[in-house]
Amino acid sequence: MGKSADLVVMGAGPSGLAAAWRAARRGLSVTVLERAGHVGGLSASFEVAGVRVDHGSHRLHPATPPHLLADLRALLGGDLQQRPRNGRLRIADRFVGFPLKVGELARRLPPELLAGVARDALTAPLRRAPAAGAAYAGTLRASLGPTLYEALYAPYAVKLWGLPGEEIDGDQARKRVTADSPWKIARRVLRGRPDGQGRVFHYPRRGFGQIVEALADAAAAAGADIRLGTACTRITPATGGVVLHAAEEEFTAGRVFSTIPMPALARLVEPGPPPEVVEAAARLRFRAMVLVYAVHGGGRWTPFDAHYLPGPGTPVTRISEPANYRVSAADPADRTVLCFEIPCAVGDEIWTTDDFSGIVHDTLARSGLPPIDLAEIVVRRVPHVYPVYETGYAAHLAGLDAWAGTVPGVTTFGRLGLFAHDNTHHAMAMGYDAVGSLTPGGWDAPAWRAARTRFARHVVED
C-alpha cells in the first residue's frame, strides 16, 4: 500500500528539515526520506571519546535572517550561544590571528610580503580588470594582486579543490572571496564590520548538529514523517503528483523537494534526461574529504577554535577543536578532540589511507603547532563536500539545472541540490522560501525564481 503526502522531501539536511518543519507547521502532510541512519548530513554531530564533534568546522553565521534566527532561538533557547571567533591563519610560515588584525599583521608578517601587498595596492589602478570568463587565478591576481594570490589563495585552491587556479572557474573567486582587493581587506581589518560579521558566530552548546536535531524534532512534532535509512531508488512524475520508490515502499507526493546531489537526481528520474544532460551531469564533480578526529589526552590543546593551513606542506587544510566553539559543562576536562580536514578525491591515496597518525604528527610539526598526546584516532570519509567549479562547469550545470526545472512536481535546492557553496543559514532560508512558493493555488514559479536569484547573489564566508 502506498503512502500519500502533500510534500516529500528528499534529504534530511538543514535545508530539507527547515522546509519540512515549515510545511508541517502550515498543516501540510510531509514525508522526509533520508538515506542515512541519522538526520543532518554534513551538519550532523556525533560523539568521539565523550566529546561532541562536527563534520569539520561549522558555525551559524551572524547574517542569518532575523526570522530564521528567531525560530532557532525558540527551538534551542539558551543552548544557542554567541561566540567570538578565535582562529589562526598560517601564512608565510607563521601564524596570525583570524579574523585578521592590522597591528598583528604588521608585527608578524615578513616585511617583503607586506611590501608586496602595499605595492599591489598602489598599482591596482594600472592592472587590467579580469576579462569576462577569466579563471580563478586571473580574477584574483587582477583584484587582490599577485602577492596575496600567490601567498594564500593559489596554494589553498590546490588543496581545497585539487586544481591549480588557472583551471578553476572565476565563479569560485566570486563565491568564496569576500574582500576582493588589498584596500577592501585593509578596510575590513581596520574597521571591522558594524554588524559583527566575521568576529562572532552562533553555535549550540551540544555541537552544530543540535540545530538539525532540533529541526527534526520540531518537524516530527508538527506531524512530519521522517524516514531514516530510506533511499529513493526511482522517481516517476505522474498525473496529479510524483511517485517515489524506496525499497518496497511507494510514496505519492503532490510536490517533491530534492536536496540530494543534482547528478544523483538525474539518475533517479524516469524517463531520464536526454543524453546531453546525462553527459553534463557526469562532468560535475564534488571534492571529497577525510575527517580525522584525534583524541588528545590532558585537557584542551590550544585556546583557538581553528587553525587554517593554506600552504602546501601538509594535505590538511584546517584543524578545529570543537570544544572551543562553545561553553559546555558536558565537555570533559581531561581530554579534547581535534578534527583534521583533508580534502581529496574518492579512491585516491588519502581516501584509501588506513593509518593517519603519521599525517597528524607531521602536520603539527611542520606547522609549528603543539604536539598531541594521541590517545585514539577516528576517521570519517565524506564523498560530497565541495562542488568543484572547474573551468567550463557553468555550461554543464546550466544544462542540468534547466532539465531539473522541467521535471513536473520536483524542485531542487540546498547545497547539494544546486551544486552550490552555501552557508547553513542560506540552505535553511532556501527551504523556507521553497515552502513559501507552495500556495493553495499551486506552485508559485515566479516567487521561486525570485528566491533563486537572491540566493545566487550570496557570497559564502568561512
Side-chain angles (χ1 to χ4, degrees):
M1 183 80 179
K3 177 179 173 61
S4 297
D6 296 319
L7 174 66
V8 170
V9 179
M10 297 174 61
S15 57
L17 290 172
W21 180 40
R22 196 164 181 85
R25 282 192 294 173
R26 277 183 36 183
L28 301 177
S29 58
V30 180
T31 298
V32 180
L33 305 181
E34 170 55 55
R35 180 177 63 179
H38 59 83
V39 300
L42 283 181
S43 294
S45 294
F46 58 100
E47 198 167 287
V48 172
V51 179
R52 287 271 284 182
V53 301
D54 306 326
H55 288 82
S57 175
H58 292 275
R59 314 167 195 266
L60 184 63
H61 203 280
T64 301
H67 67 285
L68 176 54
L69 186 58
D71 281 350
L72 296 178
R73 288 195 184 282
L75 293 178
L76 296 171
D79 276 359
L80 187 60
Q81 303 173 351
Q82 180 170 296
R83 299 282 292 152
R85 291 196 69 162
N86 185 28
R88 293 202 297 178
L89 169 69
R90 189 160 180 83
I91 182 170
D93 295 325
R94 60 201 71 189
F95 279 106
V96 295
F98 190 77
L100 303 173
K101 297 176 182 177
V102 65
E104 183 183 21
L105 289 173
R107 291 192 307 271
R108 294 285 298 157
L109 293 185
E112 59 272 20
L113 179 61
L114 292 172
V117 171
R119 182 176 58 253
D120 291 346
L122 290 171
T123 59
L126 304 178
R127 289 197 297 273
R128 291 183 179 180
Y136 173 92
T139 299
L140 290 184
R141 282 196 181 104
S143 57
L144 293 171
T147 304
L148 271 178
Y149 176 74
E150 297 298 340
L152 184 59
Y153 292 99
Y156 217 27
V158 174
K159 292 175 73 169
L160 282 176
W161 302 300
L163 294 170
E166 290 76 10
E167 297 178 23
I168 300 173
D169 195 281
D171 279 353
Q172 194 81 75
R174 290 181 282 274
K175 296 287 187 183
R176 295 284 294 190
V177 181
T178 58
D180 61 357
S181 75
W183 293 122
K184 287 184 181 179
I185 292 174
R187 283 199 298 272
R188 287 187 58 176
V189 171
L190 289 168
R191 299 177 185 174
R193 294 172 68 161
D195 55 5
Q197 291 184 28
R199 300 284 174 187
V200 298
F201 61 95
H202 304 292
Y203 190 89
R205 192 182 309 275
R206 298 197 67 251
F208 196 77
Q210 192 176 353
I211 294 175
V212 287
E213 291 163 4
L215 284 171
D217 289 345
D225 179 16
I226 300 177
R227 303 287 190 96
L228 301 179
T230 305
C232 181
T233 56
R234 190 165 80 255
I235 300 172
T236 309
T239 302
V242 182
V243 178
L244 300 95
H245 304 266
E248 297 180 357
E249 291 190 272
E250 185 177 286
F251 302 85
T252 301
R255 192 84 193 174
V256 172
F257 286 170
S258 173
T259 68
I260 68 173
M262 202 184 299
L265 177 67
R267 293 192 292 270
L268 296 178
V269 174
E270 293 184 355
E276 62 271 17
V277 173
V278 174
E279 182 181 356
R283 290 176 178 271
L284 295 175
R285 297 190 300 111
F286 285 89
R287 190 74 162 148
M289 183 174 286
V290 173
L291 300 170
V292 178
Y293 299 90
V295 181
H296 169 65
R300 298 292 171 87
W301 177 58
T302 75
F304 301 101
D305 49 37
H307 294 82
Y308 296 83
L309 306 174
T314 168
V316 177
T317 54
R318 177 166 52 191
I319 306 171
S320 57
E321 189 167 357
N324 289 343
Y325 282 57
R326 60 191 179 241
V327 176
S328 175
D331 287 325
D334 64 343
R335 61 191 178 278
T336 191
V337 176
L338 313 180
C339 177
F340 291 70
E341 300 177 25
I342 313 178
C344 60
V346 173
D348 71 7
E349 184 179 358
I350 291 293
W351 183 266
T352 56
T353 294
D354 292 324
D355 182 3
F356 285 92
S357 59
I359 290 178
V360 166
H361 290 301
D362 185 65
T363 295
L364 300 181
R366 286 176 176 269
S367 304
L369 289 166
I372 184 174
D373 182 4
L374 186 59
E376 180 186 1
I377 282 182
V378 173
V379 177
R380 290 210 170 185
R381 293 171 172 83
V382 186
H384 300 103
V385 179
Y386 301 126
V388 179
Y389 287 3
E390 57 187 309
T391 303
Y393 92 98
H396 307 310
L397 179 59
L400 183 57
D401 189 43
W403 165 81
T406 68
V407 180
V410 177
T411 301
T412 62
F413 59 86
R415 185 178 60 86
L416 298 181
L418 293 180
F419 198 71
H421 287 278
D422 275 337
N423 292 117
T424 303
H425 68 283
H426 293 151
M428 291 187 290
M430 188 172 283
Y432 273 33
D433 279 352
V435 175
S437 299
L438 281 172
T439 72
W443 180 247
D444 189 342
W448 181 241
R449 282 195 298 270
R452 285 282 305 265
T453 299
R454 282 199 308 276
F455 283 101
R457 297 193 190 107
H458 283 149
V459 175
V460 176
E461 298 195 13
D462 197 349

